[in-house]
Amino acid sequence: MLRSTALGGTRSALVVSLLPGLALGQFLTGFYNPILPGFHPDPSCIHLKEDDTFYCASSSFNAFPGIPIHASKDLTTWRLVGNALNRESQLPELAISNGSTSGIWAPALRYHNGTFYVVTTLVHDKKAPEDPTRWDNIIFSTPDIWDESKWSDAVHFDFEGYDTSPFWENGDSYIVGSHAYRVEPGIHLSKVDLKTGEVKSNWTNLWNGTGGLAPEGPHIYTKDGYYYLMIAEGGTGLGHMETIARSENLYGPYDPNPANPILTNANTSEYFQTVGHADLFQDRRGDWWGVALSTRSGSEYITYPMGRETILTNVTWENRSWPVFNNPIKGAMRGWQLPRIIQNLPGDGPFVTEGDNNLQFRPGSEIPPHFVYWRPPIKENYAISPEGHPNTLRLKPSRLNLTALDGNAGGPGGQTFVGRRQVDTLFTYRVDLNYSPKTLEEEAGVTLFLTQNHHARFGLTMLPLANGSSSALVPHFRFDAISYIPVPPSFSIPLSASMQNKTLTMEIRTVNQTHFSFAAGSAKSREPLTIFAYAPGDIVSWGFTGTLLGVYATSNGGNGTTEAYVSNWKYEGWGQIRDNFAGPLVQ
Ligand SMILES: *[C@@H]1O[C@H](CO)[C@@H](O)[C@H](O)[C@H]1NC(C)=O
Ligand SMILES: *[C@@H]1O[C@H](CO)[C@@H](O)[C@H](O)[C@H]1NC(C)=O
Ligand SMILES: *[C@@H]1O[C@H](CO)[C@@H](O)[C@H](O)[C@H]1NC(C)=O
Ligand SMILES: *[C@@H]1O[C@H](CO)[C@@H](O)[C@H](O)[C@H]1NC(C)=O
Ligand SMILES: *[C@@H]1O[C@H](CO)[C@@H](O)[C@H](O)[C@H]1NC(C)=O
Ligand SMILES: *[C@@H]1O[C@H](CO)[C@@H](O)[C@H](O)[C@H]1NC(C)=O
Ligand SMILES: *[C@@H]1O[C@H](CO)[C@@H](O)[C@H](O)[C@H]1NC(C)=O
Ligand SMILES: *[C@@H]1O[C@H](CO)[C@@H](O)[C@H](O)[C@H]1NC(C)=O
Ligand SMILES: *[C@@H]1O[C@H](CO)[C@@H](O)[C@H](O)[C@H]1NC(C)=O
Ligand SMILES: *[C@@H]1O[C@H](CO)[C@@H](O)[C@H](O)[C@H]1NC(C)=O
Ligand SMILES: *[C@@H]1O[C@H](CO)[C@@H](O)[C@H](O)[C@H]1NC(C)=O
Ligand SMILES: *[C@@H]1O[C@H](CO)[C@@H](O)[C@H](O)[C@H]1NC(C)=O
């Protein structure tokens, strides 16, 4: 069994995970999954011949900036190029999305005649499936994928469904999408002008899939005189799978592959589950590769805080034959010879597994490109190195807390929160927080955040003493969690005098594969931090997104306006578990 072993203390640790049967130095065909760990679902990837680079887009739901694009030369190291959705003005409607599973679903990334396209859907998931305003289908394009500012505003087009993907032939552009399945099921095709969004023909149902739940995530490929229509079915949970059909005519009829499903980990005991929603591309040598989403949950499917991640596998696709995926998906795999790196990747974005090594928020710097807000931010609530507070990130509290009014909608004033993805099974996240709350209920701290209705937060707030010995307000540590399943109890405890009016280190850390700890201590002290709470990962294992680690500030509906200053932001991964793991972790 492949396993990761974590050794060492809080700050430094060693992870050992070897590909079975491979000696060091022989990694030419071996690679690890996931290739994009953490909240990177619904991958769509291309290989661009012009610069011999692979590019992948991921779903981002309510997170903003959205639609992260990663690039790689070797299929194993991936750098953040930028976010296709990086200005609120590109898609103002994201600000009023309601629902934890709303927002950007399944961007399809394609390159055609000098332009990159992302075709996707802003889904208002609280609306009924038959409500046409539930589905806001959009196209973004850019001539230069490395310059974030070049991405166009959203061009809207009419389609009552989601998972839309473009395809070109004879100078015409087409889009396939998953029609809202409870109304008129199936995968539909139409000619669409990608510049204007004009739908130029009626949507035609090409295929309903093999009978699995929710036929979705379609892509069309042409090869050897066939149109191949590859889709996901079975829902994005344990029954997820990829199926394919083909036709000699674009409009069908499509014949299903007798060997369907062509990619799935369903009905296996693999650590990687829910494999599906795939895309296909060739490298420079002509070898085929597939990407798909997967959760590292085991078949128990209980603890998977990082949600749906991006995996890679090799594919054999012979002439006039069906593509054959290497599956089941595992943490250590062997595929085709990995592309050799001839030129380094351009850009200065972080690599996906890089961590945050004591970010300083220096004067003149910007919020890093891998940080996200929940919906577009109220900009004035965030400032880097404001007057008198160099090397800090200043947070102004929002009236709404992380749950907001009902756990689903946002609201006026936004929610002051900024975070980054959890990308390691085992990690330590720490910030220093300079915050002295003054007003009843105002609060700032750190959070393990999946959605408004699935998170745990640990912060400082102003409360009267619980024993009523005085009506004076005293700063308290407060822990709160929310989920659809039972959460650890909320509590608040007065800060000891030695912790008041001091910069505190606030920490969220994994204690093992299933649990997180929440700790604090004086930032100046050399004493170990004190752990105040534990929370199990199953409370943030839900839905379509993956956990973020970040900071928040709120008046909790009250009148507080005290600002919080965040500094020394660290995220360090110290263990990546890639296979069923039963033994104790060495810490
Ligand atoms: C979300 O809910 C709010 C308040 O209920 C409403 O004003 C807004 O229009 C809703 N957004 C959408 C896209 O329906
Ligand atoms: C490619 O783009 C150029 C200009 O950008 C345009 O003139 C040409 O018609 C396009 N070709 C195709 C096949 O779409
Ligand atoms: C779409 O379908 C309608 C009704 O079936 C038909 O009248 C119309 O001509 C079709 N439009 C196009 C562009 O094919
Ligand atoms: C898909 O199923 C519907 C019935 O739900 C049927 O009317 C339609 O013909 C089917 N489409 C195809 C392409 O098989
Ligand atoms: C998994 O097993 C169930 C029950 O036997 C079956 O209905 C389903 O089709 C299987 N799924 C896959 C993808 O093989
Ligand atoms: C497969 O097709 C390619 C391109 O059409 C051709 O170069 C190659 O010789 C074919 N291979 C076989 C085994 O037919
Ligand atoms: C995957 O790659 C290995 C070589 O490492 C090869 O033996 C195997 O046939 C490939 N599988 C598929 C389905 O392409
Ligand atoms: C109330 O709680 C505070 C802080 O824990 C403590 O210092 C104080 O002695 C308590 N008062 C009474 C009456 O128990
Ligand atoms: C912290 O600062 C506040 C306001 O300046 C003050 O009232 C309080 O006594 C201080 N607490 C301690 C323990 O020094
Ligand atoms: C993980 O840590 C939690 C909290 O300390 C503990 O309750 C749980 O038993 C641990 N699980 C394992 C498998 O060690
Ligand atoms: C969030 O704030 C609302 C008031 O706006 C409050 O009712 C609710 O209790 C708060 N939620 C939590 C988890 O504290
Ligand atoms: C906020 O301030 C107003 C006006 O001073 C007051 O009436 C109200 O009670 C305050 N709200 C809270 C939650 O303290």
Side-chain angles (χ1 to χ4, degrees), residues 510-517 531 534-536 581-585 587:
T510 43
V511 278
N512 56 34
Q513 197 182 340
T514 58
H515 282 70
F516 299 84
S517 62
I531 294 180
Y534 293 95
F581 178 81
L585 289 162
Q587 286 184 53

Side-chain angles (χ1 to χ4, degrees), residues 25-39:
Q26 277 186 299
F27 290 118
L28 289 174
T29 60
F31 60 91
Y32 294 112
N33 278 318
I35 52 165
L36 294 177
F39 173 20

Side-chain angles (χ1 to χ4, degrees), residues 359-363 384-386 389-393 565-568:
L359 292 181
Q360 292 297 311
F361 307 109
R362 292 210 164 79
I384 286 188
S385 285
H389 295 271
N391 303 319
T392 66
L393 170 64
Y565 297 89
V566 175
S567 57
N568 294 318

Side-chain angles (χ1 to χ4, degrees), residues 564-579:
Y565 297 89
V566 175
S567 57
N568 294 318
W569 172 296
K570 295 181 193 123
Y571 170 92
E572 184 184 36
W574 47 276
Q576 202 65 284
I577 294 176
R578 304 184 198 272
D579 206 343

Side-chain angles (χ1 to χ4, degrees), residues 128 137 143 190 205 226 235 245 251 351 364 376 402 430 445 449 464 474 522 533 565:
N137 278 286
S190 179
N205 183 352
Y226 284 111
Y251 278 88
F351 289 93
L402 292 173
R430 275 185 178 184
F449 185 88
V474 175
S522 165
Y565 297 89

